[in-house]
Coordinates of all heavy atoms in Angstrom, one line a residue:
M98 N 40.2 26.7 -30.2 CA 40.6 27.9 -29.5 C 40.9 28.9 -30.5 O 42.0 28.9 -31.0 CB 41.8 27.6 -28.6 CG 41.6 26.8 -27.4 SD 43.1 26.7 -26.5 CE 42.7 25.4 -25.5
T99 N 40.0 29.8 -30.7 CA 40.3 30.9 -31.6 C 39.9 32.2 -30.9 O 38.9 32.3 -30.4 CB 39.5 30.8 -33.0 OG1 38.2 30.8 -32.7 CG2 39.9 29.5 -33.7
S100 N 40.9 33.1 -31.0 CA 40.7 34.4 -30.3 C 41.7 35.4 -30.8 O 42.8 34.9 -31.3 CB 40.8 34.3 -28.8 OG 40.7 35.5 -28.2
S101 N 41.4 36.7 -30.8 CA 42.5 37.6 -31.1 C 43.2 38.1 -29.9 O 44.0 39.0 -30.0 CB 41.8 38.8 -31.8 OG 40.9 39.4 -31.0
R102 N 42.9 37.5 -28.8 CA 43.5 37.9 -27.5 C 44.3 36.8 -26.9 O 44.2 35.7 -27.3 CB 42.4 38.3 -26.5 CG 41.5 39.4 -27.1 CD 40.2 39.5 -26.3 NE 40.6 40.0 -24.9 CZ 39.8 40.7 -24.2 NH1 38.6 41.0 -24.6 NH2 40.1 41.0 -23.0
L103 N 45.2 37.2 -25.9 CA 45.9 36.2 -25.2 C 45.0 35.4 -24.2 O 44.1 36.0 -23.7 CB 47.1 36.8 -24.4 CG 48.2 37.4 -25.2 CD1 49.2 38.1 -24.3 CD2 48.9 36.3 -26.0
H104 N 45.3 34.2 -24.0 CA 44.5 33.4 -23.1 C 45.5 32.3 -22.5 O 46.3 31.8 -23.2 CB 43.4 32.7 -23.8 CG 42.4 32.1 -22.9 ND1 41.4 32.9 -22.2 CD2 42.1 30.8 -22.5 CE1 40.7 32.1 -21.5 NE2 41.1 30.8 -21.6
A105 N 45.3 32.0 -21.2 CA 46.0 30.9 -20.6 C 45.1 29.7 -20.5 O 43.9 29.8 -20.3 CB 46.4 31.3 -19.2
V106 N 45.7 28.5 -20.8 CA 45.0 27.3 -20.7 C 45.8 26.3 -19.8 O 47.0 26.0 -20.1 CB 44.8 26.6 -22.0 CG1 43.9 25.3 -21.9 CG2 44.1 27.6 -23.0
L107 N 45.2 25.9 -18.7 CA 45.8 25.0 -17.7 C 45.3 23.6 -18.0 O 44.1 23.3 -17.9 CB 45.5 25.4 -16.3 CG 46.1 24.4 -15.2 CD1 47.6 24.4 -15.2 CD2 45.6 24.8 -13.9
F108 N 46.2 22.7 -18.5 CA 45.8 21.3 -18.7 C 46.2 20.5 -17.5 O 47.3 20.6 -17.0 CB 46.6 20.8 -20.0 CG 46.0 21.3 -21.3 CD1 46.5 22.4 -21.8 CD2 45.0 20.6 -21.9 CE1 46.0 22.9 -23.0 CE2 44.5 21.1 -23.1 CZ 45.0 22.2 -23.7
T109 N 45.2 19.8 -17.0 CA 45.5 18.9 -15.8 C 45.1 17.5 -16.2 O 44.6 17.2 -17.3 CB 44.6 19.4 -14.7 OG1 43.2 19.2 -15.0 CG2 44.9 20.8 -14.3
K110 N 45.4 16.6 -15.3 CA 45.2 15.2 -15.5 C 44.5 14.6 -14.2 O 44.8 15.0 -13.1 CB 46.5 14.5 -15.7 CG 46.4 13.0 -16.0 CD 47.8 12.5 -16.4 CE 48.4 11.7 -15.2 NZ 49.6 11.0 -15.6
E111 N 43.5 13.7 -14.4 CA 42.9 13.1 -13.3 C 43.8 12.3 -12.4 O 44.8 11.7 -12.9 CB 41.8 12.1 -13.8 CG 40.9 11.6 -12.7 CD 39.8 10.7 -13.3 OE1 39.3 10.9 -14.4 OE2 39.4 9.7 -12.6
G112 N 43.7 12.5 -11.1 CA 44.5 11.8 -10.1 C 45.9 12.4 -9.9 O 46.8 11.8 -9.3
C113 N 46.2 13.6 -10.4 CA 47.5 14.2 -10.4 C 47.5 15.2 -9.3 O 46.8 16.3 -9.3 CB 47.7 14.9 -11.8 SG 49.1 16.1 -11.8
L114 N 48.3 14.9 -8.2 CA 48.4 15.8 -7.1 C 48.9 17.2 -7.4 O 48.3 18.2 -7.0 CB 49.2 15.2 -5.9 CG 49.4 16.0 -4.7 CD1 48.0 16.4 -4.1 CD2 50.3 15.3 -3.7
P115 N 50.0 17.3 -8.2 CA 50.5 18.7 -8.6 C 49.4 19.5 -9.4 O 49.3 20.7 -9.2 CB 51.7 18.4 -9.5 CG 52.2 17.1 -9.0 CD 51.0 16.3 -8.7
C116 N 48.6 18.7 -10.1 CA 47.5 19.4 -10.9 C 46.5 20.0 -9.9 O 46.0 21.1 -10.0 CB 46.8 18.4 -11.8 SG 47.8 17.8 -13.1
E117 N 46.1 19.2 -8.9 CA 45.1 19.6 -7.9 C 45.7 20.8 -7.1 O 44.9 21.8 -6.8 CB 44.8 18.5 -6.9 CG 44.0 17.4 -7.6 CD 42.7 17.8 -8.3 OE1 42.0 18.7 -7.7 OE2 42.5 17.4 -9.4
L118 N 46.9 20.8 -6.7 CA 47.5 21.9 -6.0 C 47.5 23.2 -6.8 O 47.3 24.3 -6.3 CB 48.9 21.5 -5.5 CG 49.0 20.4 -4.5 CD1 50.5 20.0 -4.3 CD2 48.4 20.8 -3.2
T119 N 47.8 23.0 -8.1 CA 47.8 24.1 -9.0 C 46.4 24.7 -9.2 O 46.2 25.9 -9.2 CB 48.4 23.7 -10.4 OG1 49.7 23.2 -10.1 CG2 48.5 24.9 -11.3
K120 N 45.4 23.9 -9.2 CA 44.0 24.4 -9.3 C 43.6 25.1 -8.1 O 42.9 26.1 -8.1 CB 43.0 23.2 -9.6 CG 43.1 22.7 -11.0 CD 42.0 21.8 -11.4 CE 42.2 20.4 -10.9 NZ 41.1 19.5 -11.4
V121 N 44.1 24.7 -6.9 CA 43.8 25.4 -5.6 C 44.5 26.8 -5.7 O 43.9 27.8 -5.3 CB 44.3 24.6 -4.4 CG1 44.3 25.4 -3.2 CG2 43.5 23.3 -4.2
K122 N 45.7 26.9 -6.1 CA 46.4 28.1 -6.3 C 45.7 29.0 -7.3 O 45.5 30.2 -7.0 CB 47.9 27.9 -6.8 CG 48.6 29.1 -7.1 CD 48.9 30.0 -5.9 CE 49.8 31.2 -6.3 NZ 50.1 32.1 -5.2
L123 N 45.2 28.5 -8.4 CA 44.5 29.2 -9.3 C 43.2 29.8 -8.7 O 42.9 31.0 -8.9 CB 44.1 28.4 -10.5 CG 43.2 29.0 -11.6 CD1 43.8 30.2 -12.2 CD2 42.8 28.0 -12.6
L124 N 42.5 29.1 -7.9 CA 41.3 29.6 -7.3 C 41.6 30.7 -6.3 O 40.9 31.7 -6.3 CB 40.6 28.4 -6.5 CG 39.3 28.8 -5.8 CD1 38.3 29.3 -6.9 CD2 38.7 27.5 -5.1
D125 N 42.7 30.6 -5.6 CA 43.2 31.7 -4.7 C 43.5 33.0 -5.5 O 43.1 34.0 -5.1 CB 44.4 31.3 -3.9 CG 44.2 30.2 -2.9 OD1 43.0 30.0 -2.5 OD2 45.1 29.6 -2.4
V126 N 44.2 32.8 -6.6 CA 44.5 33.9 -7.5 C 43.3 34.6 -8.0 O 43.2 35.9 -8.0 CB 45.5 33.5 -8.6 CG1 45.6 34.6 -9.7 CG2 46.8 33.1 -8.1
I127 N 42.4 33.8 -8.5 CA 41.1 34.4 -9.1 C 40.3 35.0 -8.0 O 39.7 36.1 -8.3 CB 40.4 33.3 -9.9 CG1 41.1 33.0 -11.1 CG2 39.0 33.7 -10.2 CD1 40.6 31.8 -11.9
T128 N 40.2 34.5 -6.8 CA 39.5 35.1 -5.7 C 40.0 36.4 -5.4 O 39.3 37.3 -5.1 CB 39.5 34.1 -4.5 OG1 38.9 32.9 -4.9 CG2 38.7 34.7 -3.4
E129 N 41.3 36.6 -5.4 CA 42.0 37.8 -5.0 C 41.9 38.9 -6.2 O 42.1 40.0 -5.9 CB 43.4 37.6 -4.6 CG 43.6 36.8 -3.3 CD 45.0 36.4 -3.0 OE1 45.9 36.8 -3.7 OE2 45.2 35.6 -2.1
N130 N 41.8 38.4 -7.4 CA 41.8 39.3 -8.6 C 40.7 38.9 -9.5 O 40.9 38.2 -10.5 CB 43.2 39.1 -9.3 CG 44.4 39.3 -8.5 OD1 44.8 40.4 -8.3 ND2 44.9 38.3 -7.9
M131 N 39.5 39.3 -9.2 CA 38.3 38.8 -9.9 C 38.3 38.9 -11.4 O 37.8 38.1 -12.1 CB 37.1 39.6 -9.4 CG 36.8 39.3 -7.9 SD 36.6 37.5 -7.5 CE 35.0 37.2 -8.2
G132 N 39.0 39.9 -12.0 CA 39.0 40.0 -13.5 C 39.8 39.0 -14.2 O 39.6 38.8 -15.4
L133 N 40.6 38.3 -13.4 CA 41.5 37.3 -14.1 C 40.8 36.0 -14.5 O 41.4 35.3 -15.3 CB 42.7 37.0 -13.1 CG 43.6 38.1 -12.7 CD1 44.7 37.7 -11.9 CD2 44.1 38.9 -13.9
N134 N 39.6 35.7 -14.0 CA 39.0 34.5 -14.4 C 38.7 34.4 -15.9 O 38.5 33.3 -16.4 CB 37.7 34.3 -13.5 CG 36.7 35.4 -13.8 OD1 37.0 36.5 -14.2 ND2 35.4 35.0 -13.5
E135 N 38.6 35.6 -16.5 CA 38.4 35.6 -18.0 C 39.6 35.3 -18.8 O 39.6 35.1 -20.0 CB 37.8 36.9 -18.4 CG 36.5 37.2 -17.8 CD 36.0 38.6 -18.1 OE1 36.5 39.2 -19.0 OE2 35.0 39.0 -17.5
T136 N 40.8 35.2 -18.1 CA 42.0 35.0 -18.9 C 42.5 33.6 -18.9 O 43.5 33.3 -19.5 CB 43.2 35.9 -18.2 OG1 43.4 35.4 -16.9 CG2 42.8 37.3 -18.2
I137 N 41.8 32.7 -18.2 CA 42.3 31.3 -18.1 C 41.1 30.3 -18.2 O 40.0 30.5 -17.8 CB 43.1 31.1 -16.8 CG1 43.8 29.7 -16.8 CG2 42.2 31.3 -15.6 CD1 44.9 29.5 -15.8
S138 N 41.5 29.2 -18.8 CA 40.6 28.0 -18.9 C 41.3 26.8 -18.3 O 42.5 26.7 -18.4 CB 40.2 27.7 -20.3 OG 39.5 28.7 -20.9
V139 N 40.6 26.0 -17.6 CA 41.2 24.7 -17.0 C 40.5 23.6 -17.8 O 39.3 23.4 -17.8 CB 40.9 24.6 -15.5 CG1 41.5 23.3 -15.0 CG2 41.5 25.8 -14.8
L140 N 41.4 22.8 -18.4 CA 40.9 21.6 -19.2 C 41.5 20.3 -18.6 O 42.8 20.3 -18.4 CB 41.2 21.8 -20.6 CG 40.7 23.1 -21.3 CD1 41.2 23.1 -22.8 CD2 39.2 23.1 -21.2
Q141 N 40.7 19.3 -18.5 CA 41.3 18.0 -18.0 C 41.6 17.2 -19.3 O 40.8 17.1 -20.2 CB 40.2 17.3 -17.2 CG 40.8 16.1 -16.5 CD 39.9 15.6 -15.4 OE1 39.3 16.3 -14.7 NE2 39.8 14.3 -15.3
K142 N 42.8 16.7 -19.3 CA 43.4 15.9 -20.4 C 42.4 14.9 -20.9 O 42.2 14.8 -22.1 CB 44.7 15.3 -19.9 CG 45.2 14.1 -20.7 CD 46.2 13.4 -19.8 CE 46.9 12.2 -20.5 NZ 46.1 11.1 -20.9
E143 N 41.8 14.2 -20.0 CA 40.9 13.1 -20.4 C 39.7 13.5 -21.2 O 39.1 12.7 -22.0 CB 40.4 12.3 -19.2 CG 41.5 11.5 -18.4 CD 42.4 12.4 -17.5 OE1 42.1 13.6 -17.3 OE2 43.4 11.9 -17.0
N144 N 39.3 14.8 -21.1 CA 38.1 15.3 -21.8 C 38.5 16.1 -23.0 O 37.5 16.6 -23.7 CB 37.3 16.2 -20.8 CG 36.8 15.4 -19.6 OD1 36.6 14.3 -19.7 ND2 36.7 16.1 -18.5
H145 N 39.7 16.3 -23.3 CA 40.1 17.1 -24.5 C 41.3 16.5 -25.2 O 42.3 17.1 -25.5 CB 40.5 18.5 -24.0 CG 39.4 19.2 -23.3 ND1 38.4 19.9 -24.0 CD2 39.1 19.3 -22.0 CE1 37.5 20.3 -23.1 NE2 37.9 20.0 -21.9
S146 N 41.1 15.3 -25.7 CA 42.2 14.5 -26.3 C 42.6 15.2 -27.6 O 43.8 15.1 -28.0 CB 41.8 13.1 -26.6 OG 40.6 13.0 -27.4
A147 N 41.8 15.8 -28.4 CA 42.2 16.5 -29.6 C 43.1 17.6 -29.3 O 44.1 17.8 -30.0 CB 41.0 17.0 -30.4
L148 N 42.9 18.4 -28.3 CA 43.8 19.5 -27.9 C 45.1 19.0 -27.4 O 46.2 19.5 -27.7 CB 43.1 20.5 -26.9 CG 42.0 21.3 -27.5 CD1 41.4 22.1 -26.3 CD2 42.6 22.3 -28.5
V149 N 45.0 17.9 -26.6 CA 46.2 17.3 -26.0 C 47.1 16.9 -27.2 O 48.3 17.1 -27.1 CB 45.9 16.2 -25.1 CG1 47.1 15.3 -24.7 CG2 45.2 16.7 -23.8
E150 N 46.5 16.3 -28.2 CA 47.3 15.8 -29.3 C 47.8 17.0 -30.1 O 49.0 17.0 -30.5 CB 46.5 14.9 -30.2 CG 47.2 14.3 -31.3 CD 46.4 13.3 -32.1 OE1 45.6 12.6 -31.5 OE2 46.6 13.2 -33.3
A151 N 47.0 18.0 -30.4 CA 47.4 19.1 -31.2 C 48.6 19.9 -30.6 O 49.5 20.3 -31.3 CB 46.2 20.1 -31.4
Y152 N 48.5 20.0 -29.3 CA 49.6 20.7 -28.6 C 50.7 19.8 -28.1 O 51.7 20.2 -27.5 CB 49.1 21.5 -27.4 CG 48.3 22.7 -27.8 CD1 46.9 22.8 -27.6 CD2 48.9 23.8 -28.3 CE1 46.2 24.0 -27.9 CE2 48.2 25.0 -28.7 CZ 46.9 25.0 -28.5 OH 46.1 26.2 -28.8
Q153 N 50.6 18.5 -28.4 CA 51.6 17.5 -28.1 C 52.0 17.5 -26.6 O 53.1 17.6 -26.2 CB 52.9 17.7 -28.9 CG 52.6 17.5 -30.4 CD 53.8 17.7 -31.3 OE1 54.9 18.0 -30.8 NE2 53.6 17.6 -32.6
L154 N 50.9 17.5 -25.7 CA 51.1 17.5 -24.3 C 51.5 16.2 -23.8 O 50.9 15.2 -24.1 CB 49.9 18.0 -23.6 CG 49.4 19.4 -24.0 CD1 48.1 19.8 -23.4 CD2 50.5 20.5 -23.7
K155 N 52.5 16.1 -22.9 CA 53.0 14.8 -22.4 C 53.0 14.9 -20.8 O 52.9 13.8 -20.2 CB 54.4 14.5 -22.9 CG 54.6 14.5 -24.4 CD 54.1 13.2 -25.0 CE 54.4 13.2 -26.5 NZ 53.3 12.9 -27.3
L156 N 53.2 16.0 -20.2 CA 53.4 16.2 -18.8 C 52.3 17.1 -18.2 O 51.9 18.1 -18.9 CB 54.8 16.7 -18.4 CG 55.9 15.8 -18.9 CD1 57.2 16.6 -18.7 CD2 56.0 14.5 -18.2
Y157 N 51.9 16.9 -17.0 CA 50.8 17.6 -16.4 C 51.2 18.0 -15.0 O 51.9 17.2 -14.3 CB 49.5 16.8 -16.4 CG 49.2 16.5 -17.8 CD1 49.6 15.3 -18.4 CD2 48.5 17.4 -18.6 CE1 49.3 15.0 -19.7 CE2 48.2 17.1 -19.9 CZ 48.6 15.9 -20.5 OH 48.3 15.6 -21.8
P158 N 50.8 19.2 -14.5 CA 50.0 20.2 -15.3 C 50.9 20.9 -16.3 O 52.1 21.0 -16.1 CB 49.5 21.1 -14.2 CG 50.5 21.0 -13.1 CD 51.0 19.6 -13.1
T159 N 50.3 21.4 -17.3 CA 50.9 22.3 -18.3 C 50.1 23.5 -18.5 O 48.9 23.4 -18.7 CB 51.1 21.5 -19.7 OG1 52.0 20.4 -19.5 CG2 51.7 22.5 -20.7
L160 N 50.7 24.7 -18.4 CA 50.1 25.9 -18.7 C 50.5 26.4 -20.0 O 51.7 26.6 -20.3 CB 50.4 27.0 -17.6 CG 49.8 28.3 -17.7 CD1 48.3 28.2 -17.4 CD2 50.5 29.3 -16.8
L161 N 49.6 26.6 -20.9 CA 49.9 27.2 -22.2 C 49.4 28.6 -22.3 O 48.2 28.9 -21.8 CB 49.2 26.4 -23.4 CG 49.7 25.0 -23.6 CD1 48.9 24.4 -24.8 CD2 51.2 24.9 -23.8
I162 N 50.2 29.5 -22.8 CA 49.7 30.8 -23.2 C 49.5 30.8 -24.7 O 50.5 30.5 -25.4 CB 50.7 31.9 -22.8 CG1 51.2 31.8 -21.3 CG2 50.2 33.3 -23.0 CD1 50.1 31.8 -20.3
V163 N 48.3 31.1 -25.1 CA 48.0 31.0 -26.5 C 47.5 32.4 -27.0 O 46.9 33.2 -26.2 CB 46.9 29.9 -26.8 CG1 47.5 28.6 -26.5 CG2 45.6 30.2 -26.1
G164 N 47.8 32.7 -28.2 CA 47.4 33.9 -28.8 C 46.4 33.7 -29.9 O 45.6 32.7 -29.8
P165 N 46.4 34.6 -30.9 CA 45.4 34.5 -31.9 C 45.4 33.1 -32.6 O 46.4 32.5 -32.8 CB 45.9 35.6 -32.9 CG 46.6 36.5 -32.1 CD 47.3 35.7 -31.0
N166 N 44.2 32.7 -32.9 CA 43.9 31.4 -33.5 C 44.5 30.2 -32.7 O 44.8 29.2 -33.3 CB 44.4 31.4 -34.9 CG 43.7 32.4 -35.8 OD1 42.5 32.6 -35.7 ND2 44.5 33.2 -36.5
G167 N 44.7 30.4 -31.4 CA 45.2 29.3 -30.6 C 46.7 29.0 -30.7 O 47.1 27.9 -30.3
L168 N 47.4 29.9 -31.4 CA 48.9 29.7 -31.5 C 49.6 29.8 -30.2 O 49.4 30.7 -29.5 CB 49.5 30.7 -32.5 CG 49.0 30.5 -34.0 CD1 49.5 31.7 -34.8 CD2 49.3 29.2 -34.5
E169 N 50.4 28.7 -29.9 CA 51.1 28.7 -28.6 C 52.2 29.8 -28.6 O 53.0 29.9 -29.4 CB 51.7 27.3 -28.4 CG 52.5 27.2 -27.2 CD 53.1 25.8 -27.0 OE1 52.6 24.8 -27.6 OE2 54.1 25.7 -26.3
Q170 N 52.1 30.6 -27.5 CA 53.1 31.6 -27.3 C 54.1 31.2 -26.2 O 55.3 31.6 -26.3 CB 52.4 32.9 -26.8 CG 51.3 33.4 -27.7 CD 51.8 34.0 -29.0 OE1 52.8 34.8 -29.0 NE2 51.2 33.6 -30.1
E171 N 53.7 30.4 -25.3 CA 54.6 30.0 -24.2 C 54.0 28.8 -23.5 O 52.8 28.5 -23.5 CB 54.6 31.1 -23.1 CG 55.6 30.9 -22.0 CD 55.7 32.1 -21.1 OE1 55.1 33.1 -21.3 OE2 56.5 32.0 -20.1
R172 N 54.9 27.9 -23.0 CA 54.5 26.7 -22.3 C 55.3 26.6 -21.0 O 56.5 26.7 -21.0 CB 54.9 25.5 -23.2 CG 54.6 24.2 -22.6 CD 55.0 23.0 -23.6 NE 54.3 23.1 -24.8 CZ 53.7 22.0 -25.4 NH1 53.8 20.8 -24.8 NH2 53.0 22.2 -26.5
I173 N 54.6 26.4 -19.9 CA 55.2 26.2 -18.6 C 54.7 24.8 -18.1 O 53.5 24.6 -18.0 CB 54.8 27.3 -17.6 CG1 55.2 28.7 -18.1 CG2 55.5 27.0 -16.3 CD1 54.1 29.5 -18.6
V174 N 55.6 24.0 -17.8 CA 55.3 22.6 -17.4 C 55.8 22.4 -15.9 O 56.9 22.8 -15.5 CB 56.0 21.6 -18.3 CG1 55.7 20.1 -17.8 CG2 55.6 21.8 -19.7
G175 N 54.9 21.8 -15.1 CA 55.2 21.4 -13.7 C 54.4 22.3 -12.8 O 54.4 23.5 -12.9
G176 N 53.8 21.6 -11.8 CA 53.0 22.3 -10.8 C 53.7 23.4 -10.1 O 53.2 24.5 -9.9
K177 N 54.9 23.1 -9.5 CA 55.6 24.1 -8.7 C 55.9 25.3 -9.5 O 55.7 26.5 -9.1 CB 56.8 23.5 -8.1 CG 57.6 24.4 -7.2 CD 58.8 23.8 -6.6 CE 59.5 24.7 -5.7 NZ 60.8 24.2 -5.2
K178 N 56.4 25.1 -10.7 CA 56.8 26.2 -11.6 C 55.6 27.1 -12.0 O 55.7 28.3 -11.9 CB 57.5 25.6 -12.8 CG 58.2 26.6 -13.7 CD 59.0 25.9 -14.7 CE 60.0 26.8 -15.4 NZ 60.8 26.1 -16.4
I179 N 54.5 26.4 -12.3 CA 53.3 27.1 -12.7 C 52.8 27.9 -11.5 O 52.4 29.1 -11.6 CB 52.2 26.2 -13.2 CG1 52.6 25.5 -14.5 CG2 50.8 26.9 -13.3 CD1 51.7 24.4 -15.0
R180 N 52.7 27.3 -10.3 CA 52.2 28.0 -9.1 C 53.0 29.2 -8.8 O 52.5 30.3 -8.3 CB 52.1 27.1 -7.9 CG 51.0 26.0 -8.1 CD 50.8 25.2 -6.8 NE 52.0 24.4 -6.4 CZ 52.3 23.2 -6.8 NH1 51.6 22.6 -7.7 NH2 53.4 22.6 -6.3
E181 N 54.3 29.2 -9.1 CA 55.2 30.3 -8.8 C 54.9 31.5 -9.6 O 55.1 32.7 -9.2 CB 56.7 29.9 -8.9 CG 57.2 29.0 -7.8 CD 58.6 28.5 -8.1 OE1 59.2 28.8 -9.1 OE2 59.1 27.8 -7.2
I182 N 54.5 31.3 -10.9 CA 54.4 32.4 -11.8 C 52.9 32.7 -12.3 O 52.7 33.6 -13.1 CB 55.3 32.2 -13.1 CG1 55.0 30.9 -13.8 CG2 56.7 32.3 -12.7 CD1 53.9 30.9 -14.8
L183 N 52.0 31.9 -11.8 CA 50.6 31.9 -12.2 C 50.0 33.3 -12.2 O 49.5 33.8 -13.2 CB 49.7 30.9 -11.5 CG 48.3 30.8 -11.9 CD1 48.3 30.2 -13.4 CD2 47.6 29.8 -11.0
E184 N 50.0 33.9 -11.0 CA 49.4 35.2 -10.8 C 50.1 36.3 -11.8 O 49.4 37.0 -12.5 CB 49.5 35.7 -9.4 CG 48.8 37.0 -9.1 CD 48.6 37.3 -7.6 OE1 49.4 36.7 -6.8 OE2 47.8 38.2 -7.3
E185 N 51.4 36.3 -11.8 CA 52.1 37.2 -12.7 C 51.7 37.0 -14.2 O 51.4 38.0 -14.9 CB 53.6 37.0 -12.6 CG 54.5 37.7 -13.5 CD 55.9 37.3 -13.4 OE1 56.4 36.9 -12.4 OE2 56.6 37.3 -14.5
K186 N 51.6 35.8 -14.6 CA 51.2 35.5 -16.0 C 49.8 36.0 -16.3 O 49.5 36.6 -17.3 CB 51.3 34.0 -16.4 CG 52.8 33.6 -16.5 CD 53.4 34.2 -17.7 CE 54.9 33.7 -17.7 NZ 55.6 34.4 -18.8
L187 N 48.8 35.7 -15.4 CA 47.4 36.0 -15.6 C 47.3 37.6 -15.6 O 46.5 38.1 -16.4 CB 46.5 35.4 -14.6 CG 46.5 33.9 -14.7 CD1 45.5 33.3 -13.6 CD2 46.1 33.4 -16.1
I188 N 48.0 38.3 -14.7 CA 47.9 39.7 -14.7 C 48.5 40.3 -16.0 O 47.9 41.2 -16.6 CB 48.6 40.3 -13.5 CG1 47.8 40.0 -12.2 CG2 48.9 41.8 -13.6 CD1 48.5 40.3 -10.9
H189 N 49.6 39.7 -16.5 CA 50.1 40.2 -17.8 C 49.1 40.0 -18.9 O 48.9 40.9 -19.7 CB 51.4 39.4 -18.1 CG 52.0 39.6 -19.4 ND1 52.6 40.8 -19.8 CD2 51.9 38.9 -20.5 CE1 53.0 40.8 -21.0 NE2 52.6 39.6 -21.5
I190 N 48.5 38.8 -19.0 CA 47.5 38.6 -20.0 C 46.4 39.5 -19.9 O 45.9 40.1 -20.9 CB 47.0 37.1 -19.9 CG1 48.1 36.1 -20.3 CG2 45.8 36.9 -20.8 CD1 47.8 34.7 -20.1
Y191 N 45.9 39.7 -18.7 CA 44.8 40.7 -18.5 C 45.1 42.1 -19.0 O 44.3 42.7 -19.7 CB 44.4 40.7 -17.0 CG 43.3 41.7 -16.7 CD1 42.0 41.3 -16.9 CD2 43.5 42.9 -16.2 CE1 40.9 42.1 -16.6 CE2 42.5 43.8 -15.9 CZ 41.2 43.4 -16.1 OH 40.2 44.3 -15.8
R192 N 46.3 42.5 -18.7 CA 46.7 43.9 -19.1 C 46.9 44.0 -20.6 O 46.5 44.9 -21.2 CB 48.0 44.3 -18.4 CG 47.8 44.6 -16.9 CD 49.0 45.0 -16.2 NE 48.8 45.3 -14.8 CZ 49.7 45.2 -13.9 NH1 50.9 44.8 -14.2 NH2 49.3 45.5 -12.6
E193 N 47.5 43.0 -21.2 CA 47.7 42.9 -22.7 C 46.3 43.0 -23.4 O 46.2 43.6 -24.4 CB 48.4 41.7 -23.1 CG 49.9 41.7 -22.8 CD 50.7 42.7 -23.6 OE1 50.4 42.8 -24.9 OE2 51.5 43.4 -23.1
N194 N 45.3 42.3 -22.8 CA 44.0 42.2 -23.5 C 43.3 43.5 -23.3 O 42.3 43.7 -24.1 CB 43.2 41.0 -22.9 CG 43.8 39.7 -23.4 OD1 44.5 39.6 -24.4 ND2 43.4 38.7 -22.7
Q195 N 43.7 44.4 -22.4 CA 43.0 45.6 -22.2 C 43.5 46.7 -23.2 O 42.8 47.7 -23.4 CB 43.2 46.2 -20.8 CG 42.7 45.2 -19.7 CD 41.2 45.0 -19.8 OE1 40.4 45.8 -20.0 NE2 40.9 43.7 -19.9
L196 N 44.6 46.5 -23.8 CA 45.2 47.4 -24.8 C 44.4 47.5 -26.1 O 43.8 46.6 -26.5 CB 46.6 47.1 -25.1 CG 47.6 47.1 -23.9 CD1 49.0 46.7 -24.3 CD2 47.6 48.5 -23.2

């Protein structure tokens, strides 16, 4: 993950109900705000073990806000917590990237 811009990465796990609910919320947010789909990636833990290890992820879902060169800026853990702030965070990232 290298970029000069902010980006959100949602890490999920297979068979995780909070992860699935969070992905549904994400789809709703992106459907309502089409430009936001460029601000987030969804990665399944089982397919990205190197990143899981690099970011020392233990709980899912986890939303990471990363900046230049993939440096972690913020970490939000837990489906309910992520769902509550997801739209706000993605809009913030989108606006920051427009500057």
